[in-house]
Amino acid sequence: METTEPRQQALQTPRAAGLAGVLFALLLTAVIVLIRLGIPEGANAPSPDASADSVRRSAVRAALALVPFAGIFFLWFVGVVRTHIGQAEDKFLATVFLGSGLIFVATLFEAAAAASAVLDTTSPSRGAPGGPTWAYGRHFAYTLMIDYAMRMAAVCTCSLSAIAYRIGVLPRWLALLGFLTVLTLLFVATAVPWSELVFPAWALLVSAHILTVWGRSLPGTPAVA
């Protein structure tokens, strides 16, 4: 009886924590959509006066409120993935996966802080910011989110996909899809708006797979699909 209960707890806890990846994917999708709608870039970028619109401010504020929770759930997602891989993980790739994941969260928070700064400069009580100030803040927020955060997400995705491809902890098609996600984040996201949504979509598929197959193997051994 003494050995059964810890074993059951070890099986149940990661399965419940596996929902963190699903929540992260949904929250990050919501953040990206709200930021894109609240602070458009490129040809759709609003003027400083238009940016003071209450609807846009509300969208950005909602996104900023979700960012900390997205970061927390992503860290749990990283823990779930490493638990799913177990002792079979490659230490080099696992270190890259963990390190890039931490940098991704940190950069995502920095992007949120930059977006918050843009929002503060459009406060009705302070008046609309000057054109250069508005353009700088908007560009800085998008540079952090797209050029840096999403490229760290690409490194994170690449390392996990490489591990999955080598030892079979994920289906082969999901690993290959991960590599396509990497290419999109590295070479397409900076030029094509909304393409960064491939990252939370891929994370959602990985989480759904882990939730589906987790009970087929004991912790510490890879669950081969």
Side-chain angles (χ1 to χ4, degrees):
M1 182 65 65
E2 295 180 356
T3 60
T4 301
E5 185 174 351
R7 180 175 175 179
Q8 291 177 343
Q9 183 64 25
L11 287 171
Q12 293 172 358
T13 301
R15 184 173 179 82
L19 291 173
V22 176
L23 294 174
F24 158 73
L26 297 177
L27 287 174
L28 183 59
T29 298
V31 168
I32 293 174
V33 170
L34 290 171
I35 290 294
R36 284 286 185 187
L37 294 177
I39 312 179
E41 65 173 345
N44 296 322
S47 65
D49 291 335
S51 68
D53 181 77
S54 61
V55 175
R56 294 187 185 276
R57 291 202 310 272
S58 298
V60 178
R61 289 189 188 280
L64 297 178
L66 295 177
V67 167
F69 298 100
I72 292 171
F73 285 126
F74 179 77
L75 294 178
W76 288 356
F77 169 68
V78 170
V80 168
V81 169
R82 296 195 65 191
T83 301
H84 181 67
I85 296 172
Q87 298 299 323
E89 70 177 4
D90 178 274
K91 292 187 180 298
F92 172 76
L93 292 174
T95 301
V96 175
F97 173 66
L98 177 61
S100 59
L102 294 175
I103 297 175
F104 165 74
V105 172
T107 310
L108 185 65
F109 284 2
E110 291 173 359
S116 178
V118 174
L119 186 66
D120 289 342
T121 61
T122 62
S123 173
S125 61
R126 299 181 182 181
T133 301
W134 164 253
Y136 171 79
R138 176 172 52 81
H139 178 72
F140 183 55
Y142 270 106
T143 297
L144 285 173
M145 185 175 74
I146 304 300
D147 290 356
Y148 292 95
M150 288 303 157
R151 284 177 175 169
M152 283 298 99
V155 176
C156 186
T157 303
C158 184
S159 56
L160 176 56
S161 298
I163 294 174
Y165 190 86
R166 290 175 57 181
I167 65 177
V169 293
L170 296 176
R172 183 64 59 90
W173 67 267
L174 191 51
L176 294 176
L177 187 61
F179 291 126
L180 291 177
T181 300
V182 171
L183 295 176
T184 301
L185 294 175
L186 288 177
F187 303 111
V188 179
T190 55
V192 180
W194 302 95
S195 58
E196 63 273 9
L197 289 172
V198 297
F199 178 57
W202 182 78
L204 180 62
L205 291 175
V206 172
S207 300
H209 173 76
I210 292 177
L211 285 170
T212 300
V213 305
W214 180 257
R216 300 176 187 175
S217 64
L218 294 175
T221 60
V224 181

